[in-house]
Each structure stands twice: as structure tokens, then as C-alpha cells.
Amino acid sequence: MKKTLTIICLLFFCSIIHSQTDTLQVKLDSIIKEANLLYSYEKATWSATDLAYEDERINTNIGAYIVHHSNDSIFVTFADKEYKTQTAQYSYNLNNLRVPAKQDFEPKPLSEKSSKLFEVRNEILRQLNADPAKYGLNFQKDFNPNPVLVSANGSYRLYLIIGTAVPDVIPFGNDYLFNADENGKITDWKIFHKTLIASQVKGPEGQQVISVVHSHLKMTPYISATDICTFRLYGADLFGLEEFAVLSTALNKYFTYNASQNKITVTDL
């Protein structure tokens, strides 16, 4: 009887461990999925804005741009300064976010979808600008927040991800997520990092850094989609780094992201 009870207890313990592992993997898979979306939006935006602002046919009448996706395509739409007319649209395939698969320069009224996205984004930004202290907004010179709006089932997620032209730096940190309803009213928000983490990719004597690491406080127990997006844009694409790691003080784990594999591995401390 005692032997049977021991076996049952061991099986129960193994079941718990397996369940925890499965739950963690589901979480990491969801982070990778969101990071992939953020990266595709930002990478397409980098390409499209360079093309648009260098194009004399349209660069004098650009008010703003908005990004959306459909299946395996990313669309970067530029509007005039009155937000009424589409002045250009660049379409990208997910397998090539550097060169647009299609370019459309025919002036036309903004689509209903684009108009709605502009409306929601502007409303969210209006709330942030009206009371930045409420949302804990704090940005440093030369490190600018880029708003990335994602629509999903009638609600919206707006990320603020830091961009910079400062050389040899990966601009982790100062990143936020704002959830909003169908009208753009903020319902809740999350701060991933309270400060900027400007990770240097060169050592004091100019030597190339192989990898970078930063730690997360308990408010952000996992590696974040914004971490991965920023690393892919700067660390991997600009500086050729292969991986970075996050130390989770809440979970006592290292999360290491590998760009070529697009995979997160976990190491217990």
C-alpha cells in the first residue's frame, strides 16, 4: 500500500511539472507571435517611410501613416495632412519586409478601415498627451516613442516602442502597451520597463559585443514581445547580433532569445 501511494505521488508530481512546462511554452509561443507581428509592422514602416519621404511626388503632402495586416501582407498607408486622402500605400509580403511587393500612388479617399485606425490611434494618443503622468510616460532625448497600433476583434492594442538614431545602441525599455475599446478609450495599460535600457553593442575599446542582457523587475516576469521586436530591428538587423537574454527576478529564470531560430530558451537559475 505504501509503495502504491509513493508511485501515485510521483505520478502526480510529474503531472504538475509537465503541466507547468506546457503552460510556460504556451506563454512563450504567444510572446513570439506578438513579437513577430510588431516586428513586421515596424520593419515595413522603416522601409515605407524611407521611400515615401524621399519621393518628391508625395513627400510634401504627408500627414501621417498607419499600418495594418491581412493574412501574409503588411500595408503601410500614407494620408494627407487632412486625414482624408490616401496619398500612397506600400504593400509587403512577410517573407520580404525590405522591398514592397506593390506601390500605389493613386490619390483616393481613405478606406473605412484606414480612417478608423487613424481615428482610434489619434484618440489614444490624445489621452496620453493630456495626462502623461497618469500613464507613467517618461522619455529621454534622442529616444523617441513609436506608436504601433494593432486591431483585434473590435478592440485595439497600442504599443509604444522606442526608436533612436544614436549609433551602436539597442534601445530597450521605456515601452508600453495600452488596451483600448472600439472607440479608442484606454481601458488598461502595462509598463514593461520603467526606464530606458540603452544597451551598447561595442565595448570601451570598440570591440564588438556578442550578446546583451538586461533584467526584468517582478512587474514583467517574462521576456516581452517589445524586447524581441527591438532586438530584431536593432541588435540582429543593424548590428548582426545573434541573441540576447533577460533575467527574470520574479521567476528566477533566464530567457534567451535567438534571432536566427526565432526561439526563446529558458534556463533556471
Side-chain angles (χ1 to χ4, degrees):
M1 179 65 183
K2 186 179 294 185
K3 184 177 181 180
T4 302
L5 183 60
T6 301
I7 293 173
I8 292 174
C9 289
L10 286 172
L11 289 174
F12 180 69
F13 178 74
C14 290
S15 175
I16 292 175
I17 296 298
H18 183 71
S19 176
Q20 290 175 341
T21 302
D22 287 348
T23 301
L24 177 58
Q25 190 58 53
V26 169
K27 178 66 177 178
L28 297 182
D29 289 345
S30 70
I31 291 171
I32 288 287
K33 182 179 179 180
E34 189 77 345
N36 288 343
L37 184 61
L38 294 177
Y39 172 78
S40 66
Y41 272 40
E42 284 291 86
K43 193 67 176 180
T45 296
W46 283 19
S47 170
T49 51
D50 284 347
L51 292 171
Y53 286 105
E54 292 173 358
D55 194 324
E56 295 181 354
R57 293 173 295 178
I58 60 172
N59 62 10
T60 59
N61 192 28
I62 295 177
Y65 65 85
I66 202 73
V67 186
H68 73 276
H69 73 281
S70 178
N71 298 322
D72 292 335
S73 297
I74 306 293
F75 302 92
V76 185
T77 302
F78 290 83
D80 65 356
K81 295 176 182 179
E82 286 74 37
Y83 293 95
K84 293 181 179 179
T85 303
Q86 174 183 305
T87 57
Q89 185 178 80
Y90 300 85
S91 307
Y92 295 82
N93 296 325
L94 286 178
N95 59 7
N96 186 356
L97 295 168
R98 298 176 183 272
V99 180
K102 181 180 178 182
Q103 303 180 56
D104 181 3
F105 299 107
E106 180 184 351
K108 64 192 69 175
L110 278 176
S111 68
E112 182 178 347
K113 182 177 185 63
S114 293
S115 294
K116 181 63 175 180
L117 290 172
F118 275 120
E119 176 187 330
V120 168
R121 188 181 67 181
N122 289 345
E123 173 56 23
I124 296 173
L125 294 179
R126 183 197 65 77
Q127 294 168 73
L128 299 183
N129 289 326
D131 195 353
K134 173 182 177 180
Y135 301 104
L137 299 180
N138 180 30
F139 305 110
Q140 295 188 24
K141 182 182 178 182
D142 298 324
F143 293 87
N144 303 311
N146 296 321
V148 183
L149 181 68
V150 179
S151 62
N153 301 320
S155 61
Y156 297 87
R157 304 188 299 277
L158 186 133
Y159 289 87
L160 293 183
I161 302 176
I162 294 298
T164 187
V166 175
D168 301 326
V169 165
I170 305 173
F172 292 114
N174 269 168
D175 40 356
Y176 302 76
L177 168 61
F178 302 92
N179 292 307
D181 65 16
E182 60 182 3
N183 297 313
K185 181 179 179 181
I186 297 173
T187 55
D188 59 85
W189 65 94
K190 178 178 178 59
I191 303 173
F192 295 104
H193 307 81
K194 289 185 176 181
T195 60
L196 175 72
I197 307 169
S199 297
Q200 302 289 330
V201 299
K202 289 188 177 180
E205 298 181 2
Q207 64 270 39
Q208 183 68 41
V209 170
I210 297 175
S211 181
V212 293
V213 60
H214 67 268
S215 61
H216 280 186
L217 301 177
K218 292 185 177 181
M219 68 180 190
T220 307
Y222 300 95
I223 190 172
S224 69
T226 52
D227 281 331
I228 293 172
C229 174
T230 297
F231 179 79
R232 290 181 68 180
L233 290 169
Y234 290 86
D237 290 356
L238 289 185
F239 306 126
L241 271 64
E242 185 78 8
E243 63 183 31
F244 79 102
V246 168
L247 168 61
S248 170
T249 58
L251 302 176
N252 290 320
K253 297 178 185 294
Y254 268 110
F255 294 99
T256 302
Y257 173 78
N258 183 283
S260 62
Q261 299 175 7
N262 195 25
K263 181 180 178 181
I264 302 167
T265 56
V266 184
T267 305
D268 292 326
L269 296 181

